[in-house]
Amino acid sequence: MSETFNEQELLQFLAQKTKVDVKAIKLVLKHEQAFIDKAKANARGEVDIDSDDIVDYVMSRPDVKLDELTVDTILNLEMDYLMEHGIVTDAD
């Protein structure tokens, strides 16, 4: 059903679509993962994360030198890629 997750393929896809350096993309994704890892689950074990909150968190990291629109674009394209490849599904 779902394809195997290939991080290199994802990074190449994001770099091609955004024209952003792979190192900067990796940094954004690292901070995104840190934010998700800190998120608290509700009583049903689900974690509800607002994408704007992730963008705000990533932008607050001192080592991120990208503008907000670029960070938002990277994260949206990442979600599109993951959904297209059956790795995540939209719960809405």
Side-chain angles (χ1 to χ4, degrees):
M1 176 178 109
S2 85
E3 295 183 27
T4 304
F5 177 71
N6 183 330
E7 183 181 12
Q8 282 305 116
E9 184 179 291
L10 171 63
L11 291 170
Q12 289 173 348
F13 170 79
L14 294 173
Q16 179 184 27
K17 292 285 187 182
T18 63
K19 308 300 186 221
V20 173
D21 182 68
V22 170
K23 287 181 184 180
I25 293 170
K26 281 184 176 181
L27 189 60
V28 168
L29 298 181
K30 178 186 91 165
H31 289 309
E32 174 197 28
Q33 190 60 53
F35 181 87
I36 291 169
D37 289 346
K38 292 177 187 175
K40 304 285 186 218
N42 63 19
R44 292 182 290 182
E46 300 168 340
V47 178
D48 185 28
I49 298 174
D50 185 279
S51 62
D52 291 336
D53 292 339
I54 296 175
V55 172
D56 291 344
Y57 177 81
V58 172
M59 291 302 300
S60 74
R61 305 294 89 196
D63 54 348
V64 174
K65 306 300 183 204
L66 301 172
D67 61 83
E68 186 172 349
L69 180 59
T70 302
V71 169
D72 190 45
T73 300
I74 290 169
L75 296 175
N76 285 330
L77 286 169
E78 176 201 23
M79 183 57 70
D80 291 347
Y81 176 92
L82 295 175
M83 288 177 66
E84 182 178 305
H85 287 81
I87 298 162
V88 298
T89 59
D90 191 359
D92 290 335

